Amino acid sequence: MESSHNSGFSGGNNIGINAVDADYYLLLNSDTIVQSGALESLLETAKENNDAGLVGARLEWPDGQPQESCFHFHTPVSEFLKAASVGLFSRLLAPYIVARPVVDHVESYQWVSFACVLIRSQVIKDIGLLDDEFFMYFEDVEFSYRAQKAGWKVIYQPNAHVVHLRGGSSPLKSQAKLRKKLPRYFYESRTRYFYLVYGYWGLIFANIAWILGAAISGLREKLSKHYQSNTAQGQWRDTWINFTNPLKAYIHPKDYD
């Protein structure tokens, strides 16, 4: 199907979902390679678990090494932990770490990567489509949050192997690794997520928590020659994007700086 404009991850998938009446919908990134038997495994898992609203695959690199595929929700505490990057804090507050360890058995999580996910159609009937005001990022977390509030489980199936090359849809992870400026839509989506899930004061708390963590990381960088902060260029300012209007619709990508 052809879209008249780039409406982002949510908008694009919603077009496909609206076009077909099905029992299940598979969302699949363009930078993936589905291994033999993966789709059958996802379907079988969904059919065997009537309360499974979403079933995620095991994402892996071309050499078969696993990628992070299962997660806990982003919270103000997780914002602090990510920015601070201090082992002691991470051990003390381990349940708040977003990315969960890779396991080799079927397990329930708060959300899974939408690089490859099977969604039961009844979930969409219950909670609606993906929120297409997210251009890219955090839409999978927010959708999973709504699904769980409606009583659906999010399940990970490690027998469904899907190679995820990464970078096919967005350069964000490579930019973050190099501490380059991240795209505006990332911060807009982050603001929208925290506001929708935690309210305005939750958004404020998340931003303050991130600043505190980044300050600790920055101090460590000044005191140690071998430590490098993970703060991206301009992140101190960009974290506050859309702060006064958290539900502002995204700008078309061509208008991003």
Side-chain angles (χ1 to χ4, degrees), residues 60-146:
E60 57 191 28
W61 298 102
D63 63 0
Q65 292 299 307
Q67 290 180 11
E68 296 168 348
S69 306
C70 309
F71 309 90
H72 281 179
F73 291 132
H74 296 271
T75 66
V77 176
S78 73
E79 288 295 284
F80 167 76
L81 293 176
K82 181 179 179 181
S85 189
V86 175
L88 176 61
F89 293 153
S90 296
R91 289 191 293 272
L92 291 174
L93 300 170
Y96 292 94
I97 296 175
V98 174
R100 309 314 299 171
V102 176
V103 297
D104 58 3
H105 57 272
V106 175
E107 186 62 82
S108 296
Y109 289 91
Q110 293 181 340
W111 65 284
V112 292
S113 172
F114 276 25
C116 179
V117 63
L118 187 75
I119 302 177
R120 192 185 299 270
S121 62
Q122 187 60 47
V123 176
I124 297 170
K125 293 174 183 176
D126 288 349
I127 69 172
L129 295 163
L130 280 72
D131 183 345
D132 57 14
E133 296 297 345
F134 290 95
F135 181 75
M136 189 177 292
Y137 296 108
F138 290 95
E139 68 286 293
D140 42 7
V141 198
E142 190 273 339
F143 185 86
S144 299
Y145 176 80
R146 282 189 282 138

Side-chain angles (χ1 to χ4, degrees), residues 198-212:
Y198 299 103
Y200 197 71
W201 286 106
L203 171 60
I204 292 176
F205 187 26
N207 285 359
I208 293 175
W210 182 87
I211 288 173
L212 178 60

Side-chain angles (χ1 to χ4, degrees), residues 8-10 29 31 74 82 111 113-114 130-131 133-143 164 166-176 182-194:
F9 183 89
S10 293
N29 273 19
D31 55 354
H74 296 271
K82 181 179 179 181
W111 65 284
S113 172
F114 276 25
L130 280 72
D131 183 345
E133 296 297 345
F134 290 95
F135 181 75
M136 189 177 292
Y137 296 108
F138 290 95
E139 68 286 293
D140 42 7
V141 198
E142 190 273 339
F143 185 86
H164 186 206
R166 281 190 174 178
S169 302
S170 168
L172 183 134
K173 286 185 171 62
S174 60
Q175 288 177 316
L182 304 182
R184 181 184 178 94
Y185 57 75
F186 169 81
Y187 295 106
E188 290 180 342
S189 293
R190 175 190 176 277
T191 295
R192 184 176 183 85
Y193 164 78
F194 275 105

